[in-house]
Amino acid sequence: MDVRNCKNCGKLFQYVGKPICPACNKKLEDKFFEVRDYIYENPTASMSVVSEELGVPIQQIKKWVREERLAFSKDSGITISCEKCGKAILTGRFCKECKNSMRNNLSNLYGTENTVQKQKQAAASSNGKMRFLKN
Ligand SMILES: [Zn+2]
Ligand SMILES: [Zn+2]
């Protein structure tokens, strides 16, 4: 059994992958719903207002946004920047473009099928050329 001290209240608890104890985790979850409702009702509230009004550190709000659990509305004027290219985004860690390019990189790395297909295509086109030259 892995027992650790809660990062938040310091109490010992059984570690199950989260750095805080179940009680603190529950409190944090409640806070999350409070923040989410608050942003829903006050779509133009800035991050510092939300933080002050609800007593949640801005870092925590940003974390939820990065986790795509919270998203700011377009009219809020609040954005966070893409961790790759710095473009303004409303939620998550990366902008659409970076997400797409990362997905492509991933399929290049793991998509052997893709590579085989490309090789086949290359072979086919060179065959075509040869035929064309013969004619
Ligand atoms: Zn705790
Ligand atoms: Zn980006």
Side-chain angles (χ1 to χ4, degrees):
M1 197 166 85
D2 193 357
V3 176
R4 298 193 186 186
N5 284 98
C6 169
K7 276 234 162 55
N8 194 44
C9 69
K11 256 196 280 187
L12 280 173
F13 73 106
Q14 194 183 337
Y15 183 73
V16 283
K18 282 198 170 105
I20 56 173
C21 72
C24 288
N25 192 50
K26 169 84 173 48
K27 260 188 243 164
L28 199 63
E29 281 301 290
D30 289 348
K31 221 47 187 177
F32 167 74
F33 289 114
E34 250 180 71
V35 170
R36 196 194 57 177
D37 289 349
Y38 186 87
I39 292 176
Y40 186 74
E41 281 158 29
N42 307 275
T44 56
S46 74
M47 232 187 295
S48 56
V49 168
V50 177
S51 161
E52 263 170 47
E53 286 286 315
L54 301 174
V56 184
I58 287 186
Q59 274 322 101
Q60 184 59 57
I61 299 174
K62 277 191 182 163
K63 199 169 161 245
W64 283 325
V65 176
R66 290 288 188 209
E67 287 169 356
E68 293 190 34
R69 298 183 72 190
L70 282 182
F72 288 105
S73 68
K74 280 205 176 77
D75 345 300
S76 72
I78 308 171
T79 53
I80 51 172
S81 43
C82 167
E83 285 184 6
K84 201 151 182 255
C85 70
K87 206 163 108 177
I89 50 174
L90 296 170
T91 187
R93 297 176 59 198
F94 305 105
C95 69
K96 236 189 241 157
E97 287 76 17
C98 289
K99 263 191 196 166
N100 278 339
S101 73
M102 276 187 286
R103 206 169 291 145
N104 288 341
N105 285 344
L106 225 61
S107 62
N108 282 346
L109 276 178
Y110 299 110
T112 37
E113 221 171 290
N114 232 354
T115 326
V116 170
Q117 211 143 41
K118 262 182 207 152
Q119 276 165 353
K120 264 187 199 162
Q121 267 169 10
S125 68
S126 66
N127 281 345
K129 225 181 215 167
M130 275 163 71
R131 230 181 4 251
F132 179 74
L133 284 172
K134 266 186 203 163
N135 288 343

